[in-house]
Amino acid sequence: MGIELDTIILFGSFLILMALGLPLVFSLGAAAVIGTYFMWGPAALHLAAIRAFSAANSFVLLAIPLFIFMGCMLERSGIARGLYELMHKWLGGIRGGLAVGTIIVCAIFAAMVGVSGAATVTMALVALPSMLRYGYSKHLTVGTIAAGGALGVLIPPSVLFIVLGLYTNTSVGKLFLGGIPAGLILVVLFILYSLVLCRFRPEIGPAVPEAEQASWREKIIALKAVGFPLVLVTSVLGSLMGGLATPSEAAGVGAVGAMVCAAANRSLDWKAILDASRTTLRLSAMVMWIVFAANMFTALYTAIGAEDLARELLSMMPGGRWGVIIGMQIIWFIMGCFLDPLGIMIITAPIFFPIIVSLGFDPVWFGVLFVVNMEMAFLTPPFGFNLFYMRSCVPPNISMGDIYRAVIPFIILQAVGLGIMMAFPELITWLPNQVF
């Protein structure tokens, strides 16, 4: 069989299993095992076990449950509420101030949790009722929370960066550092959009009434809320940037720091630890099993010539090597509308990255572009994860259609940010190159 027919059979069986309602891990794993059996015979099935063991034996994977536990503890610590109250007092008096404050809090929270779901749900519970109560439009409210929550996969520490580094043999520390300016670019774009929109349409983002605005004394007192997050982010990222810790060791620092923050806010008890541990176990097991299944799938597909096929198809794009880059972004965007970001990464990264390196592009820069695409995937209809997180938190008068409409401007802003990063690679590569 030719590679084209093999591709149709492999991905066809994978998509059929997904359409039948089978979870991603079993769809990928079953397609890989069945494909291995029919292409190479039963004697080759031991390769699946070897690939799974090889993936499980990676030290960098230890960072995943630790960062997830860190996020779960912070979700229960009350830090997000304190940060939002701080932004409310400092920015509530300007048009669009609560939207800007929500985006900033989402960015800070993203720098502590490493996953999108925790940031989105936490901020929806904290910011959504307040913004709606002060007359903010439901579309601006939902859009800022959903887009801000999506920053959790881009601003380090990010679980997606960890798995990406594992699968592409790229430095996780460099990817983390490249994610910082990328996240700041998107935060600035979101803030400018909110301010400009509310400047010309003040009815959708009014200022907090003067009688409810905080005094300078209250603003100064509220600054204490930023203390613990600042120490925690500095300890995690500082240990990485200073070369004092590997990503896995930095994750351990973050996990302990999150418990200290929860204890300082008097929210650390056995119930909180048990709930956080259960959530960590569930999410970590999900990530690990997807890693194992996708590892088998991509190993099979790569062995039968996937890289040559991808290179041939992408070479048809006009524009030379930049046409290849743009073609990859388009593929990721389309896949992001329908598939899980982790699955997309494990399917495409082992194929795309060797092509990119052979074309002379920086793999760290390209890795950051990938994660920005996956951040967009959290918002793109019909299956963006953050859309469903928001649906579980919004009041009944906000429909799924409202959520879809709310995120469209922010998807466009993410695309603009992606274009800026592509046009000026130094924005992403400067910091990793300086530190390492």
Side-chain angles (χ1 to χ4, degrees):
M1 291 190 295
I3 179 62
E4 293 83 1
L5 183 58
D6 290 341
T7 299
I8 293 172
I9 293 173
L10 267 181
F11 281 90
S13 59
F14 164 59
L15 293 174
I16 288 171
L17 292 171
M18 286 282 288
L20 292 174
L22 213 61
L24 173 67
V25 56
F26 297 120
S27 300
L28 275 175
V33 171
I34 294 169
T36 300
Y37 179 85
F38 282 104
M39 289 180 188
W40 295 327
L45 288 178
H46 73 282
L47 295 174
I50 292 173
R51 293 292 301 189
F53 179 79
S54 175
N57 206 33
S58 174
F59 178 70
V60 75
L61 285 179
L62 184 61
I64 292 175
L66 291 171
F67 276 131
I68 292 175
F69 179 79
M70 173 182 167
C72 292
M73 286 305 304
L74 290 170
E75 191 178 352
R76 291 161 174 79
S77 68
I79 283 179
R81 186 170 298 279
L83 287 172
Y84 181 75
E85 290 175 358
L86 166 67
M87 297 301 168
H88 182 284
K89 289 175 180 176
W90 277 88
L91 300 174
I94 62 175
R95 294 174 185 172
L98 295 185
V100 172
T102 297
I103 294 165
I104 294 173
V105 174
C106 283
I108 296 172
F109 206 66
M112 297 186 291
V113 298
V115 289
S116 175
T120 304
V121 172
T122 301
M123 288 311 302
L125 296 174
V126 171
L128 185 72
S130 174
M131 293 177 72
L132 293 177
R133 180 163 60 88
Y134 283 108
Y136 276 66
S137 84
K138 57 186 178 183
H139 295 117
L140 180 61
T141 300
V142 170
T144 51
I145 295 172
L151 293 168
V153 300
L154 178 60
I155 297 177
S158 165
V159 170
L160 209 55
F161 273 135
I162 296 170
V163 183
L164 181 64
L166 169 68
Y167 270 84
T168 60
N169 292 320
T170 307
S171 166
V172 175
K174 286 187 176 182
L175 289 170
F176 275 5
L177 295 178
I180 294 174
L184 292 177
I185 289 170
L186 294 186
V187 167
V188 170
L189 288 175
F190 293 165
I191 289 174
L192 290 176
Y193 168 76
S194 301
L195 290 175
V196 171
L197 185 66
C198 295
R199 175 71 177 84
F200 291 100
R201 297 182 59 193
E203 72 280 2
I204 70 172
V208 171
E210 191 173 343
E212 298 184 39
Q213 293 179 17
S215 65
W216 276 104
R217 182 176 181 276
E218 292 172 325
K219 290 179 180 179
I220 299 299
I221 293 174
L223 287 174
K224 66 180 182 180
V226 82
F228 285 124
L230 186 62
V231 171
L232 186 58
V233 171
T234 302
S235 61
V236 173
L237 296 184
S239 61
L240 274 173
M241 295 173 66
L244 301 176
T246 65
S248 299
E249 293 163 346
V253 172
V256 173
M259 295 183 70
V260 172
C261 290
N265 283 350
R266 299 180 180 177
S267 55
L268 182 67
D269 52 32
W270 285 113
K271 183 179 184 305
I273 295 174
L274 186 61
D275 289 345
S277 299
R278 284 173 174 165
T279 303
T280 301
L281 176 62
R282 186 173 67 252
L283 293 178
S284 300
M286 179 188 72
V287 171
M288 298 300 185
W289 275 110
I290 291 174
V291 167
F292 301 157
N295 198 300
M296 293 187 290
F297 186 93
T298 52
L300 170 63
Y301 193 45
T302 302
I304 62 176
E307 186 180 332
D308 293 334
L309 176 63
R311 189 186 297 273
E312 181 182 343
L313 293 175
L314 289 168
S315 66
M316 299 177 185
M317 291 287 295
R321 66 178 195 151
W322 280 101
V324 173
I325 290 283
I326 294 170
M328 291 177 176
Q329 311 307 307
I330 294 171
I331 291 170
W332 280 334
F333 181 81
I334 294 171
M335 293 179 75
C337 294
F338 303 99
L339 297 177
D340 168 75
L342 192 61
I344 296 170
M345 183 199 71
I346 300 176
I347 292 170
T348 62
I351 300 170
F352 284 0
F353 268 77
I355 296 174
I356 288 303
V357 172
S358 69
L359 292 174
F361 289 106
D362 188 318
V364 173
W365 167 75
F366 186 68
V368 172
L369 294 187
F370 168 78
V371 175
V372 173
N373 272 280
M374 294 305 98
E375 188 198 14
M376 295 171 70
F378 273 88
L379 298 183
T380 46
F383 298 125
F385 281 7
N386 276 16
L387 307 178
F388 297 100
Y389 293 146
M390 290 303 302
R391 187 70 187 95
S392 67
C393 300
V394 298
N397 65 314
I398 297 179
S399 67
M400 200 67 194
D402 290 326
I403 296 174
Y404 284 169
R405 286 191 292 273
V407 298
I408 288 174
F410 292 92
I411 295 172
I412 295 171
L413 291 170
Q414 288 171 324
V416 170
L418 184 66
I420 293 172
M421 297 172 212
M422 290 174 65
F424 304 100
E426 299 79 10
L427 293 173
I428 305 302
T429 59
W430 182 83
L431 183 59
N433 291 338
Q434 290 297 312
V435 173
F436 290 91

